[in-house]
Amino acid sequence: MQFGFTYHRPASVIELCELLNRYGAKCKILAGGTDLIVDIRAGLKKYDYIVDIKNIPELNELSFSKQKGLSIGAAVTCSQLIEDSTAQKKYHLLCECAETIASYPLRNRATIVGNIVNASPCADTAPGLLCLDAQVLIKSSSGEKTIALKDFFEGVKKVKLAPNEFVSKIIVPPASAEAKGAYMKLKRIKGHDLSLVSVAMAVIKKNIIRVAIASAAPTPVILPDFSKNTKVDEIINVALKTVKPIDDIRSSKDYRLHMIGVYIKRLYEQLIK
Amino acid sequence: MKTITFTVNGQKYTREVEEHKTLLRFLREDISLTGTKEGCGAGECGACTVLLNSKPVNACLVLAVEIDGKEVITIEGIAQDGKLSPLQEAFERHHAIQCGFCTPGMIISAHSLLQRNPNPKREDIQEAIEGNFCRCTGYLQIIEAIEDAAEQLKPKKSKKR
Ligand SMILES: Cc1cc2nc3c(=O)[nH]c(=O)nc-3n(C[C@H](O)[C@H](O)[C@H](O)COP(=O)(O)OP(=O)(O)OC[C@H]3O[C@@H](n4cnc5c(N)ncnc54)[C@H](O)[C@@H]3O)c2cc1C
Ligand code: FES
Ligand code: FES
């Protein structure tokens, strides 16, 4: 059977860890399936075991506290985040990024954590999460650890995650709450499309400018922090030195480089000037 | 094989299902509901849109085993007692159908929009059917049909305003 696999639906994190320990690289986690099912059905990937995490109550939690910030469980969908009034109010930039993913039916399934673990260079939530200094909580049967999202990405569709580990949640710290920010995504059509290039900018605590860019390097990239009085040309200079875009089916390298400059200028005018 | 229990269009079923089978294929091949169509099989075209626990999803990217304990509504569940819904009638009136391949998914997306937002603006309609491709009618008639249906569905009082 070309697509054959055994399906598991653990009801707890303990059960999930047992399955990951037992099957290792032979199994794959299923969240919304909008990347995984496409890959399996296209014959790009083959796994013996599929482990659906949507039935684990703690992974469905989306919560905010002043001490801990926003916590986005691994099964939380883009739609859940977008429809959450606290997330909209406190982390508007992230919601804006999530709103640009695919179509409404896709967003009803696609998870934020899936978008990050899938680690496509064009992952739309990545620029927002990077600007907001998101942290990734990784768990396994031997414990848990937190790493910064910027250190989690390793390459095209590669993240720092062992076969027995899973991402339990993404945490967006309280220091980034209420940050002013915006996201610009270049597409070929007005309807749903992957980005040719995209840029997010945020002003953190009213005096730090953060810029992150997707579809312009093997992983989404974050620039070093800038102070509020940095000139826009300097930010563009640093950006163009940091990214490594390629020519591909969606866009030429030159167009990508050009639009990074255009978007940084527009975002700067909107948020800072 | 796994045994699952679920509801489709109000009817309860218990069935055995191959674990790798998509909800789309399962509805068409195992439940004989062929109204839901397969266009791309990859989340792009929306021909396979159904409601899963009241929310539109692409049935080609859902595994049938995932609907255990859940409720599905397909295009066959939109007409009531053999009578088309006001939205379906509006599609007819506006000639919003040619080959009809996109229509089941289009109706499901529009039906869900009108439930969430009974007074959609044109942009709301465009956004709601963004994931539903139509390759022959053109979108104008479809959008007009949805606008008309929204008007028909308004309570009489607010119509006067
Ligand atoms: C038609 C279409 C349009 C799309 N448009 C966009 C777009 O505009 N922008 C965009 O960014 N993306 C887009 N995508 C890609 C996709 O929808 C997103 O990346 C989505 O957020 C993935 O989430 P998911 O829950 O569906 O992931 P899944 O497919 O369930 O998982 C993705 C990968 O991550 C792994 N994984 C998931 N959760 C965990 C976890 N907790 N721990 C460890 N591993 C895990 C899975 O094993 C798998 O390898 C599109 C996809 C389709 C089919
Ligand atoms: S068949 Fe499912 S989106 Fe095209
Ligand atoms: S009527 Fe033929 S695709 Fe829409």
Side-chain angles (χ1 to χ4, degrees), chain A residues 1 3-9 30-35 37-38 41 50 52 54-55 79-80 83 99 102-109 187 189-193, chain B residues 2 4 18-22 25 38 41-45 49 52 55-58 60-63 65-68 70 109 112 116 126-128 130-133:
Chain A
M1 184 108 18
F3 313 123
F5 50 74
T6 304
Y7 170 88
H8 287 278
R9 182 163 50 189
L30 170 73
T34 63
D35 282 311
I37 305 281
V38 175
R41 288 181 49 81
I50 293 295
D52 184 351
K54 292 190 289 296
N55 220 28
S79 290
Q80 248 174 293
E83 285 159 20
E99 281 162 21
S103 60
Y104 179 63
L106 246 297
R107 291 193 294 273
N108 283 337
R109 298 286 291 175
K187 303 187 286 184
I189 54 168
K190 197 160 173 249
H192 76 95
D193 193 15
Chain B
K2 278 245 163 29
I4 55 171
E18 292 166 290
E19 289 153 71
H20 68 275
K21 194 162 210 167
T22 63
R25 295 281 174 93
E38 175 150 3
E44 303 276 353
C45 76
T49 313
L52 180 58
K55 292 198 166 142
V57 299
N58 303 87
C60 68
L61 297 185
V62 176
L63 298 175
V65 283
E66 294 184 68
I67 67 164
D68 193 20
K70 299 201 162 72
S109 283
S112 158
R116 300 194 300 277
Q126 285 169 337
E127 210 223 300
E130 182 181 22
N132 296 89
F133 292 177

Side-chain angles (χ1 to χ4, degrees), chain A:
Chain A
M1 184 108 18
Q2 198 187 351
F3 313 123
F5 50 74
T6 304
Y7 170 88
H8 287 278
R9 182 163 50 189
S12 68
V13 164
I14 295 174
E15 253 183 79
L16 170 60
C17 289
E18 276 170 16
L19 290 165
L20 295 178
N21 285 343
R22 196 179 321 151
Y23 300 131
K26 284 190 171 168
C27 79
K28 202 71 181 163
I29 286 178
L30 170 73
T34 63
D35 282 311
L36 187 64
I37 305 281
V38 175
D39 286 350
I40 290 176
R41 288 181 49 81
L44 298 174
K45 303 225 175 98
K46 169 100 182 76
Y47 302 101
D48 294 337
Y49 304 92
I50 293 295
V51 182
D52 184 351
I53 58 171
K54 292 190 289 296
N55 220 28
I56 302 175
E58 72 171 83
L59 302 188
N60 282 283
E61 280 170 20
L62 173 64
S63 63
F64 172 78
S65 79
K66 276 190 179 146
Q67 296 74 37
K68 293 186 181 150
L70 185 69
S71 158
I72 307 168
V76 171
T77 63
C78 293
S79 290
Q80 248 174 293
L81 179 84
I82 294 164
E83 285 159 20
D84 187 274
S85 55
T86 310
Q88 280 286 359
K89 195 164 147 250
K90 305 268 181 194
Y91 300 94
H92 181 76
L93 170 61
L94 176 58
C95 295
E96 202 181 312
C97 292
E99 281 162 21
T100 71
I101 291 187
S103 60
Y104 179 63
L106 246 297
R107 291 193 294 273
N108 283 337
R109 298 286 291 175
T111 62
I112 305 291
V113 170
N115 193 231
I116 291 310
V117 180
N118 190 61
S120 160
C122 72
D124 278 306
T125 63
L129 287 168
L130 285 169
C131 282
L132 300 172
D133 192 24
Q135 308 291 308
V136 183
L137 180 66
I138 297 170
K139 284 194 180 175
S140 71
S141 56
S142 46
E144 61 174 64
K145 61 185 176 196
T146 305
I147 74 170
L149 177 61
K150 67 172 168 18
D151 302 322
F152 183 59
F153 292 126
E154 272 188 333
V156 178
K157 302 217 163 192
K158 279 210 189 99
V159 290
K160 276 200 194 93
L161 201 63
N164 70 327
E165 294 175 329
F166 71 98
V167 174
S168 158
K169 54 170 136 172
I170 290 175
I171 301 151
V172 196
S176 316
E178 323 243 345
K180 215 164 110 182
Y183 183 55
M184 291 191 176
K185 170 177 176 180
L186 182 68
K187 303 187 286 184
R188 290 163 294 189
I189 54 168
K190 197 160 173 249
H192 76 95
D193 193 15
L194 300 176
S195 77
L196 310 188
V197 75
S198 67
V199 183
M201 189 181 282
V203 186
I204 308 288
K205 296 225 168 270
K206 300 204 162 86
N207 58 28
I208 297 168
I209 303 174
R210 284 220 189 100
V211 178
I213 304 166
S215 302
T219 68
V221 289
I222 174 97
L223 305 186
D225 286 359
F226 299 99
S227 79
K228 185 87 186 276
N229 33 32
T230 312
K231 296 260 184 320
V232 67
D233 288 340
E234 192 186 327
I235 299 177
I236 294 173
N237 267 338
V238 175
L240 296 182
K241 275 188 204 134
T242 312
V243 297
K244 290 183 194 68
I246 53 167
D247 290 306
D248 69 8
I249 187 166
R250 293 208 300 279
S251 164
S252 69
K253 174 183 162 184
D254 290 345
Y255 187 33
R256 290 193 158 104
L257 288 170
H258 176 72
M259 287 309 292
I260 289 169
V262 171
Y263 279 168
I264 291 178
K265 207 169 262 172
R266 284 186 198 163
L267 287 163
Y268 190 90
E269 270 162 22
Q270 181 184 330
L271 298 169
I272 290 140
K273 229 177 174 175

